[in-house]
Amino acid sequence: MRFSEIVGQERAITTLRETLRSNRIPNAYLFEGPWGVGKTRTALALAAGLVCRTESDEACGVCDACVRVGRFQHPDVRFLFPVMTDADDPESIGETLTEVANDPHYVFTYEKASSIRIAITRDILKELAFRPYEGRRRVIVMRDADRMREDQYSAMLKSLEEPGASTLWVLTTARPNRLPPTIRSRCLKVRFRALTEAEISSYLVDRVGLGAASARLLAALASGSLARALTLRGENVAALRDDALRALGAANSGEPSRILAAASEAASWTNRERMRRTLEFQFLLLRDLLRLKHGAPEEALVNRDRLADLRKVAGTIEVREIRRRAALLDEVVRAIDSNVTPETAFFSAYARWGKALAPSTSERAEAWPAWGDARLDV
Ligand SMILES: [Zn+2]
């Protein structure tokens, strides 16, 4: 767990390296930023840096201290994360830690009601009475620190305020407003940003071993979160994308029977996530068209394996029309969220998609290819 392994986040990491170099360590950090952008990994890399034998601005990754941090076996580094209070016993927490240690692409998921266990914070607060075992400092990394009970925060406060404390708290959160102001005001804030599609895509290619086209599709769906891209990687995104584009081909034909068939197919997916995914791909297609209209380079296109088709459409469709179609997709998203029958929602949008059934928009008909008629080669 080293800074050099973190994707993006140059600003945060520069600050933290400087902290290690100067050895002016605060009592507490609050790592704020969206879900799945590297806050926890960075916190653990900082912890390793603090106990590493080399005492430099980056954990060496190979000394016995670094190795033990990586296995969650270092006595001066504790890692807390939310669990289901009743269901998770110490053993299952240990199993999770083993998985995190062994899988560099591990993604934390937990139930809505999960929280940092009070018994564990109580034990840790007791430990604080003693000096660190080995390192310069004791480090407590607390992931999603907004998931705690009010009385746990008050118990923590004392430690955060103690001058010359030998403990560094590193709290991470994607929801800083849920932390009490008393806690927030005592932490040094470090901001983490959403990752770019290019950063996520290269990570998926270089470190996960995905093909370029799949990586690009996942990165586009990830909304800046590497964790989201990693969660979705089990899905066959290329096939999902093809299905989504094929449905638009049917919509664009203006033939009622094809439109009905496409709407029924979209609605046959019992899983709403899957319906949303279809819509996301359709939005991404429109985004590609808009980008082409505005002269964006090829690299900015998600569906650039279909570049010839994209160019053909972009050459004839108006920006206004692209926006009108995006609004139609928006209607479907809202309809699905408000429990309108999905088939009705899709049919209504697809029926107004093409020119044939929307004579009021009087632009010339564009050259809309039969998207996805052939399987993509990804
Ligand atoms: Zn080391």
Side-chain angles (χ1 to χ4, degrees):
M1 290 174 186
R2 314 185 62 213
F3 290 145
S4 49
E5 288 162 15
I6 306 293
V7 182
Q9 314 303 353
E10 302 77 8
R11 275 183 67 178
I13 285 169
T14 305
T15 309
L16 298 172
R17 279 184 190 274
E18 182 49 40
T19 302
L20 287 180
R21 204 177 295 131
S22 66
N23 203 20
R24 282 198 298 271
I25 317 287
N27 281 9
Y29 275 118
L30 179 60
F31 287 5
E32 300 181 355
W35 174 66
V37 299
K39 299 186 297 297
T40 298
R41 297 251 163 214
T42 306
L44 293 169
L46 172 65
L50 272 166
V51 299
C52 174
R53 304 288 180 202
T54 62
E55 301 199 1
S56 70
D57 68 347
E58 159 84 304
C60 75
V62 292
C63 74
D64 69 297
C66 283
V67 168
R68 281 181 296 153
V69 173
R71 292 184 188 146
F72 299 104
Q73 289 167 353
H74 196 291
D76 292 330
V77 176
R78 299 292 299 267
F79 176 45
L80 280 67
F81 54 92
V83 293
M84 279 301 283
T85 317
D86 298 323
D88 287 272
D89 50 32
E91 252 173 57
S92 76
I93 292 175
E95 279 165 24
T96 303
L97 290 178
T98 309
E99 281 184 58
V100 181
N102 293 332
D103 178 3
H105 317 303
Y106 185 86
V107 174
F108 276 88
T109 51
Y110 22 72
E111 309 289 327
K112 267 208 170 88
S114 296
S115 64
I116 309 271
R117 284 221 315 188
I118 194 154
I120 296 176
T121 45
R122 212 176 272 143
D123 288 350
I124 283 185
L125 289 168
K126 265 184 227 155
E127 265 179 47
L128 298 185
F130 305 99
R131 300 290 308 163
Y133 292 93
E134 307 177 0
R136 294 187 260 184
R137 290 278 175 144
R138 174 190 290 111
V139 189
I140 301 170
V141 174
M142 192 183 276
R143 187 193 150 87
D144 291 317
D146 50 274
R147 289 169 177 260
M148 261 202 293
R149 272 172 38 179
E150 205 59 48
D151 50 345
Q152 288 173 281
Y153 292 121
S154 359
M156 259 175 75
L157 262 183
K158 208 173 137 260
S159 161
L160 297 187
E161 285 174 328
E162 187 191 339
S166 50
T167 300
L168 167 66
W169 293 79
V170 187
L171 314 181
T172 82
T173 182
R175 309 180 295 184
N177 293 336
R178 297 208 179 182
L179 283 166
T182 44
I183 297 282
R184 266 186 294 159
S185 64
R186 283 165 181 81
C187 295
L188 204 56
K189 285 176 198 61
V190 180
R191 279 184 210 291
F192 285 68
R193 61 167 171 87
L195 301 173
T196 65
E197 288 182 20
E199 284 167 339
I200 294 176
S201 175
S202 346
Y203 181 96
L204 295 174
V205 171
D206 301 341
R207 300 207 221 162
V208 185
L210 296 189
S214 304
R216 207 157 52 229
L217 292 172
L218 282 173
L221 292 178
S223 316
S225 164
L226 180 58
R228 177 148 199 252
L230 289 170
T231 309
L232 296 174
R233 79 186 189 276
E235 297 184 14
N236 186 349
V237 283
L240 292 179
R241 190 269 309 259
D242 287 3
D243 289 347
L245 296 192
R246 197 169 25 250
L248 291 187
N252 206 68
S253 73
E255 293 167 27
S257 59
R258 285 186 68 191
I259 292 175
L260 190 57
S264 308
E265 194 197 332
S268 69
W269 303 316
T270 45
N271 181 347
R272 281 179 189 233
E273 249 335 284
R274 165 84 197 258
M275 292 182 204
R276 284 197 189 91
R277 193 85 67 248
T278 299
L279 290 160
E280 281 177 304
F281 277 121
Q282 295 174 342
F283 274 120
L284 286 170
L285 173 75
L286 296 178
R287 192 182 77 174
D288 277 354
L289 290 176
L290 270 183
R291 287 185 173 181
L292 270 178
K293 296 294 282 182
H294 290 105
E298 202 183 303
E299 299 73 57
L301 308 176
V302 173
N303 299 288
R304 64 172 177 269
D305 49 332
R306 305 296 299 268
L307 189 62
D309 283 344
L310 283 173
R311 282 201 198 288
K312 221 183 291 167
V313 182
T316 49
I317 196 169
E318 303 290 335
V319 167
R320 195 150 52 104
E321 178 59 15
I322 299 175
R323 296 201 186 284
R324 185 187 71 87
R325 293 183 187 192
L328 291 178
L329 297 181
D330 255 334
E331 281 179 28
V332 185
V333 173
R334 281 200 301 275
I336 290 178
D337 287 342
S338 60
N339 288 324
V340 171
T341 322
E343 187 169 357
T344 310
F346 276 105
F347 182 79
S348 162
Y350 287 170
R352 287 174 290 149
W353 185 267
K355 285 292 159 322
L357 297 181
S360 57
T361 53
S362 57
E363 292 102 37
R364 63 211 152 100
E366 77 278 1
W368 190 275
W371 298 101
D373 275 358
R375 275 280 163 213
L376 290 182
D377 171 25
V378 181

